[in-house]
Amino acid sequence: MCGIIGYIGRRPAYTLLLEGLQKVEYRGYDSAGIALLDDQLNVYKKAGKVKTLATYIQGKHPAGQIGIGHTRWATHGIPNDQNAHPHVSVSGQLAIVHNGIIENEEALRRELIQQGYTFRSDTDTEVLVNWIENIQRTHAYPLDKALRWALTQVVGAYALVVMSADQPDMLIAARKSSPLMVGVGQDEFFIASDCAPIIQHTDRVVYMDDHEIAIVKPGSLSMRNMEDIPLLPRVQKVDMDVEAIEKGGFAHFMLKEIFEQPKALVDCMRGRIDKTDCDIKLGGILEHLDTLSHAPSMTLVACGSSWCAGLVAKYFLEGFCRIPTTVEYASEFRYRNPIIQAGDIVWAISQSGETADTLAAIQLAQEHDAQVFSICNVAGSSIARAARAGIYTHAGAEIGVASTKTFTTQVAVLVMLALKLGRRRGTLSRTRFSELLAELTDLPAKIQAILQQADQFQYLAQVCKAAKHFLYLGRGYNYPIALEGALKLKELSYVHAEGYPAGEMKHGAMALIDQDMPVLCMATQDETYAKTISNMQEVKARKGQIVALVTEGDVQAARLADYVIEVPATYPALMPIVSVVPLQLFAYYMAVARGCDVDQPRNLAKSVTVE
Ligand code: M6R
């Protein structure tokens, strides 16, 4: 949430920062800004996207070899020029970019006002930069000491970079509960909220931990903790392709990422599915298989689409392993004093590995001595590092705000986990195991077949684009996919959509159905098919418009529908990985048809590092 980029080195900083901002824009995009140090501190910032900032700066000749930049997702104050980052202290000497929320900003602001400070913005960040300056001024501290001191008085989360006109050869960065890393180049350094703006310059990064401070100067990087004790920077190689963060000829990142799903699934299963030995190998949790297969119960914590993936996993873990499984919204779990006992198994699912609520849920579980495992897409992310062990989804970088390939690979990882544990527990027969294993490897081709028919969703979107509401119905394995499909439609096309268990409709939601209510019914072949048909009849009887998602060759459900989407046949347990793809395509084309910003939907951001 919000993107940060900082540069210090020998090259002109402006172009590097602007390109960097374009790469982190997916994290927040309501305003953008850059501060550069040359003979003096120059700040350029504008409400709107990075391209608006670039136009604003054109002809202003921004100069300097050191600078910081930011794309914002508003928390304190509306998205306007004043509230955009960087923020500058009253003296004009310090500039800061900041992700996160300073929870005690009001108290700090009051104290500064008493001392005569005035503020130009509504942000907690402007308070913070003045708080640092106030300490620096009153105690005559050097900047690093003033920053450390200030941060001990701050409650909340931050990833920040500070630059000082008094010390024009230095950037200082600090992190608590919001990601930040240092890219180590040849006589130059980058500081960023994720790898995307760094990898075209260097593949060597230092992931900062909470309560760490990094001081970069041309040619030197020093890391310290909050007690000012030096730390050894651990330089790691990043495994990310520059191509992964380009659109590659697609109109949007989201479309590219939907089409990348066959490959993402192959990458996710590579080296894990062993058909010869009829086995699944999950290296990341190898040492913990005994513990996991003897678990009396499991809790899965996640948010948004990752939560929907968790809900699919409940069906796997209970069905194949007979392990009672609870799926929790991390934001609820962390605050409701849940019952957690020492040794309990908790899985945190997060594509970004940075979601604040999920991280807090992990911390809570660990405080109660639970054993926490993670399923993440981003290697080295905070959640992956906080967990005892975990499984990466290997979907590749996902830039579009909507989760697509990270969702299907999460489900793939979760099914592999459940199959593995089911075999070990003896609750899943070898025959069934090997059937599912073989079918898993056929899924990429089945998804490819759906993608070849992508044009039909363009047509369906034209038909449906004026709808104000949508109901998605599903049963069993398709129920979490109905929820995920509705979430996709809401977030991308701003059409109100609700996912519902088909059997629950008659207990209330049926009152909504009339000729203006399109209902997407997931009616693929499984043991609840006949029941779903009855629900479709009920919708039809009330003149609802039915879009039916059916297994190829289906006649019965198709006959009831106004529009039919066919998907290739697979085992019901694996259907979620297939049936979600048409729903992603439909949401995508609805957004395009309604003129919405597909990759950067309003009010959202890719990784949600605030509460
Ligand atoms: O990075 P995470 O998986 O932890 O993110 C959780 C949600 O914010 C995320 O799944 C969100 O719901 C999706 N991007 C929506 O498509």
Side-chain angles (χ1 to χ4, degrees):
M1 205 142 246
C2 304
I4 285 181
I5 173 77
Y7 174 78
I8 186 164
R10 298 195 174 147
R11 295 194 270 169
Y14 170 65
T15 317
L16 296 173
L17 293 176
L18 194 73
E19 281 170 11
L21 287 184
Q22 278 151 355
K23 302 264 159 49
V24 290
E25 192 169 25
Y26 73 102
R27 301 179 70 94
Y29 31 81
D30 60 43
S31 54
I34 285 177
L36 289 161
L37 258 178
D38 194 18
D39 296 337
Q40 58 178 34
L41 181 64
N42 292 308
V43 178
Y44 312 90
K45 49 190 199 170
K46 271 283 168 222
K49 301 225 171 170
V50 175
K51 58 178 187 266
T52 311
L53 176 73
T55 311
Y56 168 69
I57 300 180
Q58 241 165 33
K60 294 192 164 60
H61 310 295
Q65 295 169 330
I66 166 170
I68 53 181
H70 190 266
T71 59
R72 180 169 184 249
W73 183 87
T75 57
H76 294 64
I78 59 164
N80 62 16
D81 294 355
Q82 288 80 7
N83 290 332
H85 296 215
H87 288 282
V88 175
S89 62
V90 161
S91 74
Q93 295 299 296
L94 296 186
I96 190 172
V97 287
H98 162 226
N99 292 354
I101 292 181
I102 306 302
E103 290 170 11
N104 59 339
E105 69 99 14
E106 259 194 64
L108 303 181
R109 186 188 290 267
R110 266 200 308 275
E111 203 167 320
L112 289 172
I113 288 172
Q114 273 171 12
Q115 295 188 40
Y117 280 78
T118 54
F119 297 94
R120 288 166 282 215
S121 78
D122 307 313
T123 65
D124 50 346
T125 308
E126 192 189 4
V127 172
L128 179 59
V129 71
N130 282 302
W131 190 255
I132 300 165
E133 182 168 280
N134 190 44
I135 292 174
Q136 204 184 9
R137 195 173 48 79
T138 47
H139 300 278
Y141 283 168
L143 179 57
D144 59 329
K145 189 166 178 186
L147 176 68
R148 253 185 297 117
W149 190 249
L151 293 180
T152 58
Q153 295 159 339
V154 154
V155 179
Y158 51 79
L160 57 87
V161 190
V162 184
M163 188 167 78
S164 167
D166 285 339
Q167 288 167 276
D169 62 342
M170 176 176 82
L171 291 176
I172 305 192
R175 152 186 181 148
K176 185 184 160 218
S177 308
S178 194
L180 202 59
M181 59 196 67
V182 182
V184 181
Q186 196 67 43
D187 289 334
E188 62 183 4
F189 294 97
F190 300 82
I191 300 176
S193 41
D194 64 66
C195 296
I198 295 180
I199 48 162
Q200 72 187 94
H201 306 291
T202 174
D203 61 358
R204 297 168 68 226
V205 301
V206 176
Y207 294 101
M208 291 180 68
D209 275 324
D210 279 354
H211 313 292
E212 284 184 358
I213 294 187
I215 303 173
V216 290
K217 298 184 175 179
S220 84
L221 159 67
S222 80
M223 307 275 299
R224 304 190 157 255
N225 66 14
M226 295 299 276
E227 284 76 47
D228 202 27
I229 297 173
L231 306 166
L232 198 63
R234 208 159 66 87
V235 181
Q236 299 186 40
K237 204 165 171 322
V238 187
D239 190 17
M240 194 199 259
D241 262 343
V242 177
E243 279 142 46
I245 54 170
E246 308 289 346
K247 281 191 204 143
F250 284 88
H252 298 96
F253 278 111
M254 182 187 176
L255 191 61
K256 173 179 172 241
E257 287 154 6
I258 292 174
F259 273 76
E260 279 173 348
Q261 288 179 110
K263 177 178 180 305
L265 283 164
V266 169
D267 290 346
C268 175
M269 293 189 275
R270 179 172 298 120
R272 290 174 169 164
I273 292 196
D274 181 348
K275 280 202 209 163
T276 321
D277 285 351
C278 191
D279 195 8
I280 289 177
K281 301 197 166 93
L282 298 170
I285 53 160
L286 198 60
E287 292 166 33
H288 307 281
L289 279 174
D290 259 346
T291 313
L292 291 168
S293 46
H294 288 105
S297 65
M298 286 194 188
T299 301
L300 314 184
V301 292
C303 304
S305 295
S306 297
W307 180 90
C308 294
L311 194 59
V312 182
K314 178 179 168 74
Y315 290 75
F316 297 148
L317 289 165
E318 295 193 340
F320 300 148
C321 315
R322 310 308 296 153
I323 300 176
T325 303
T326 314
V327 187
E328 300 263 7
Y329 287 112
S331 54
E332 286 297 311
F333 180 81
R334 62 182 290 195
Y335 286 120
R336 69 165 172 73
N337 192 14
I339 299 165
I340 315 167
Q341 278 157 7
D344 280 1
I345 303 293
V346 174
W347 283 90
I349 310 168
S350 169
Q351 86 76 23
S352 64
E354 301 295 348
T355 302
D357 285 319
T358 311
L359 250 174
I362 291 180
Q363 277 150 10
L364 179 70
Q366 285 172 335
E367 279 161 25
H368 289 80
D369 295 323
Q371 306 197 58
V372 179
F373 298 89
S374 69
I375 293 173
C376 289
N377 191 45
V378 179
S381 57
S382 303
I383 290 174
R385 285 183 294 147
R388 184 158 189 210
I391 311 173
Y392 283 119
T393 46
H394 296 312
E398 191 177 73
I399 307 292
V401 163
S403 302
T404 51
K405 60 178 178 168
T406 56
F407 177 82
T408 38
T409 52
Q410 282 171 344
V411 178
V413 161
L414 287 158
V415 76
M416 286 191 281
L417 171 69
L419 292 176
K420 179 82 188 172
L421 298 184
R423 267 317 283 142
R424 284 179 72 99
R425 287 168 68 90
T427 46
L428 183 67
S429 72
R430 191 180 159 83
T431 316
R432 183 105 184 87
F433 177 86
S434 62
E435 282 167 3
L436 286 159
L437 204 68
E439 178 65 11
L440 257 176
T441 56
D442 285 348
L443 294 187
K446 295 191 172 177
I447 292 176
Q448 195 61 51
I450 298 174
L451 297 174
Q452 275 158 8
Q453 310 286 322
D455 286 356
Q456 65 172 308
F457 299 99
Q458 218 164 343
Y459 168 75
L460 181 59
Q462 283 305 324
V463 176
C464 297
K465 69 178 182 192
K468 297 221 164 12
H469 306 275
F470 241 96
L471 199 56
Y472 283 61
L473 301 180
R475 282 174 181 261
Y477 284 107
N478 275 329
Y479 163 52
I481 301 306
L483 299 183
E484 170 62 6
L487 176 60
K488 289 276 99 70
L489 191 68
K490 275 186 276 222
E491 68 172 329
L492 291 162
S493 69
Y494 319 147
V495 172
H496 170 239
E498 209 173 329
Y500 227 74
E504 268 295 298
M505 182 182 60
K506 57 189 171 290
H507 299 291
M510 202 185 280
L512 294 169
I513 292 177
D514 62 14
Q515 65 283 1
D516 297 324
M517 173 62 99
V519 185
L520 193 145
C521 300
M522 308 199 61
T524 51
Q525 292 295 336
D526 59 25
E527 63 274 26
T528 61
Y529 178 74
K531 307 287 171 202
T532 306
I533 293 287
S534 307
N535 299 136
M536 290 171 71
Q537 298 277 18
E538 290 156 8
V539 172
K540 195 88 201 143
R542 286 154 186 87
K543 300 197 169 58
Q545 303 294 305
I546 296 181
V547 178
L549 191 146
V550 302
T551 309
E552 246 164 27
D554 177 286
V555 191
Q556 207 184 346
R559 211 179 284 136
L560 290 170
D562 298 279
Y563 192 91
V564 178
I565 302 167
E566 285 196 339
V567 292
T570 185
Y571 292 113
L574 302 183
M575 186 49 91
I577 299 176
V578 175
S579 62
V580 75
V581 177
L583 305 190
Q584 296 167 347
L585 284 165
F586 175 56
Y588 170 79
Y589 283 115
M590 277 287 277
V592 173
R594 291 167 59 86
C596 302
D597 188 337
V598 173
D599 285 330
Q600 296 175 347
R602 70 181 178 205
N603 305 337
L604 300 181
K606 183 69 180 164
S607 105
V608 185
T609 54
V610 297
E611 283 192 43

